[in-house]
Amino acid sequence: MNTKLTANTGLTANTKRTVLVTAHTGRVAAVESARLVTNRLIGAGLNVRVLDSEAEEIGCAGAEVVPENRAALDEAEMIIVLGGDGTLLRAAELARPVGVPLLGVNLGHVGFLAEAEVEDLAAAVDRVVEGRYDVEERMTVDVVARLNGSVIAETWALNEASVEKVDRMLEVVAEIDGRPLSRWGCDGVICATPTGSTAYAFSAGGPVVWPEVEALLLVPNSAHALFARPLVVSPRSTLAVEIVPGTGPGVLWCDGRRRFDVPPAARVEVRRSAVPVRLARLLGVETTGAPFTDRLVAKFELPVEGWRGRVRPP
């Protein structure tokens, strides 16, 4: 889901706006960018917070140092994330429960979740200061793993939940809405959101789904079967992957960050969550706020030479 909401800080005239700044501190460029963002926001009169685990590396005087928990986002307007998609996914774990939007600045490779590139950083910060941004809500999924009816893991994902082999091919049966679909010998099965269609699901041969399309994806990964096509199903569907008894074991990964062991005969269920992740989209910057088609062309460097567009009358 890609619901657009108008930016609204919800603050009174006497309330100081607060922004949390987080960065991939293992990258020099991210740390330097975090300092630039922090100084620029403080100079504009905003209250800036940094996480205690990153404060020493960022080292910006005037920033409020906070622990990495939900209290870090009390009355916060936004999180500005400097790094790649992995850094933004980490920040999403903090932001999702309290509904604070994330603004990603890409310092990684593709960076599909990011809104701005590092060369546009000053303009992006200015738009935040001016309140010139919208907020989109992106679908997430709830993920539950069961063994003999007992819950052994419970989590969520923004991009995908992936059931994968450990050391040898995995034998699984895929299910949609309570009905068996097919049995596969495979490297794994990916259950993805439209947001995740350009992540792991894309690498496994799945389709690219525009973010505003409400759907779930089921993508077999290197399946040895005649019917092993990626599937796009209703957002109201429930997807399930059962590890065939006597085979496996497998592992469940969610967004490449949260890992759970799933033994033989385990069952992983994926369904749409009621809690989205909110992403900030900037207004008035040529290289940001772009249509998804333009983002796709830019991120994958797709050839579009020769395009003339719609012919208009003189």
Side-chain angles (χ1 to χ4, degrees):
M1 179 174 62
N2 184 24
T3 303
K4 282 196 174 182
L5 306 171
T6 301
N8 183 1
T9 65
L11 304 176
T12 66
N14 296 323
T15 304
K16 195 168 186 179
R17 296 167 63 193
T18 298
V19 174
L20 174 66
V21 176
T22 182
H24 187 318
T25 53
R27 293 179 178 170
V28 174
V31 172
E32 292 176 348
S33 297
R35 290 174 186 155
L36 185 153
V37 169
T38 301
N39 285 325
R40 201 173 185 96
L41 290 173
I42 291 174
L46 277 67
N47 180 47
V48 177
R49 294 173 181 165
V50 295
L51 300 175
D52 54 7
S53 58
E54 302 174 0
E56 185 176 351
E57 287 84 355
I58 295 175
C60 188
E64 177 187 359
V65 178
V66 294
E68 191 168 343
N69 55 40
R70 292 188 188 183
L73 295 175
D74 285 348
E75 299 184 352
E77 178 180 335
M78 165 188 298
I79 305 179
I80 296 180
V81 185
L82 299 116
D85 280 351
T87 311
L88 195 142
L89 289 168
R90 176 174 70 90
E93 295 175 354
L94 197 63
R96 177 177 177 259
V98 291
V100 174
L102 301 130
L103 177 72
V105 179
N106 182 38
L107 291 100
H109 299 292
V110 178
F112 244 102
L113 291 172
E115 170 64 5
E117 302 295 327
V118 67
E119 56 267 22
D120 307 314
L121 188 55
V125 175
D126 289 345
R127 292 302 182 273
V128 172
V129 171
E130 296 161 3
R132 297 180 62 183
Y133 63 89
D134 284 337
V135 176
E136 296 177 355
E137 291 186 346
R138 293 293 183 91
M139 177 196 301
T140 64
V141 290
D142 291 326
V143 186
V144 178
R146 291 184 170 89
L147 181 63
N148 299 324
S150 299
V151 174
I152 58 174
E154 194 166 6
T155 186
W156 68 281
L158 171 61
N159 276 346
E160 76 281 310
S162 175
V163 180
E164 303 176 22
K165 70 177 185 180
V166 175
D167 51 10
R168 58 193 177 99
M169 184 184 297
L170 205 59
E171 287 285 339
V172 303
V173 175
E175 172 194 298
I176 298 176
D177 294 329
R179 303 303 303 161
L181 174 71
S182 186
R183 175 169 170 163
W184 296 311
C186 57
D187 287 351
V189 179
I190 302 163
C191 302
T193 67
T195 299
S197 72
T198 51
Y200 189 11
F202 176 83
S203 299
V208 173
V209 179
W210 263 236
E212 61 266 26
V213 175
E214 296 193 356
L216 293 173
L217 283 70
L218 190 146
V219 183
N221 190 359
S222 301
H224 293 258
L226 187 62
F227 178 83
R229 299 293 184 183
L231 304 174
V232 180
V233 304
S234 164
R236 295 178 295 278
S237 290
T238 297
L239 310 181
V241 178
E242 294 185 355
I243 300 179
V244 176
T247 67
V251 61
L252 167 65
W253 281 100
C254 289
D255 289 340
R257 292 189 48 79
R258 296 173 292 282
R259 181 188 188 279
F260 306 91
D261 292 327
V262 281
R267 171 185 174 88
V268 176
E269 298 174 351
V270 179
R271 56 176 54 86
R272 180 180 187 165
S273 173
V275 184
V277 165
R278 307 176 81 216
L279 300 180
R281 293 303 186 202
L282 301 173
L283 302 174
V285 182
E286 183 179 353
T287 53
T288 56
F292 184 72
T293 305
D294 293 351
R295 290 173 179 268
L296 206 62
V297 169
K299 297 296 185 180
F300 289 131
E301 299 180 352
L302 302 179
V304 293
E305 294 83 1
W307 179 75
R308 297 176 59 205
R310 183 167 43 192
V311 177
R312 295 174 177 82

